Amino acid sequence: MLRFAAAVVTFALVTLGGAAVTATPAAAAISPPSGCRYFTTDFGQTCYEWEGDDQWVRDLDANGWTTIVEVETNYGKFRECDAPASADGWRECGYDHEEKKCVRFRLVERKGVSTNRISVWSLFYSTSTGNECGFDT
């Protein structure tokens, strides 16, 4: 009966000039594109995508703490992006950094207002080229 109903709906959509809609499997988990600047610790990973100003983050340790990437620019902006809970894939956070400036990041583990592990800061990277700041051509 369900197959018949689906066929009727598809026929009606095509007959009336609409597009037939079919169910598709859930999309694969998103992940950073190639060319991203990766920064990895034992508890988390982040990736800076300079084209588009996206920061990616994922939790690598399903220990009840959330991995957060702190993003700092050399022109006074500070932002955070938290990973999905329980080491459950990547999260993409979109920013609009000023061009020809620099950005750096570090990973922090938090639960509520408590902090567990904190990484060192990354190098500064150009918001225009993705290269280390000071090495742009």
Side-chain angles (χ1 to χ4, degrees):
M1 181 67 171
L2 287 175
R3 221 179 284 178
F4 176 75
V8 170
V9 170
T10 301
F11 175 76
L13 285 170
V14 172
T15 303
L16 297 173
V21 178
T22 58
T24 57
I30 61 170
S31 60
S34 63
C36 230
R37 291 286 185 177
Y38 284 89
F39 184 77
T40 305
T41 67
D42 58 338
F43 64 90
Q45 187 173 35
T46 188
C47 178
Y48 172 58
E49 180 186 356
W50 63 271
E51 281 191 31
D53 295 332
D54 294 337
Q55 191 78 38
W56 297 76
V57 63
R58 72 176 174 165
D59 191 331
L60 298 178
D61 189 359
N63 61 356
W65 292 79
T66 301
T67 298
I68 296 167
V69 61
E70 296 179 339
V71 181
E72 180 181 61
T73 68
N74 67 341
Y75 58 95
K77 297 280 183 179
F78 183 85
R79 299 169 175 130
E80 294 183 343
C81 181
D82 59 317
S86 302
D88 194 24
W90 287 97
R91 172 160 295 142
E92 178 183 14
C93 294
Y95 300 119
D96 189 16
H97 297 305
E98 289 182 21
E99 292 302 309
K100 299 181 181 175
K101 299 292 183 179
C102 300
V103 62
R104 69 178 183 168
F105 31 87
R106 72 176 177 182
L107 295 166
V108 177
E109 261 190 335
R110 286 201 196 115
K111 186 186 297 184
V113 295
S114 299
T115 300
N116 192 20
R117 296 180 275 188
I118 301 174
S119 74
V120 297
W121 285 99
S122 72
L123 299 172
F124 272 102
Y125 294 101
S126 169
T127 58
S128 300
T129 66
N131 295 330
E132 289 179 33
C133 280
F135 295 99
D136 291 340
T137 56

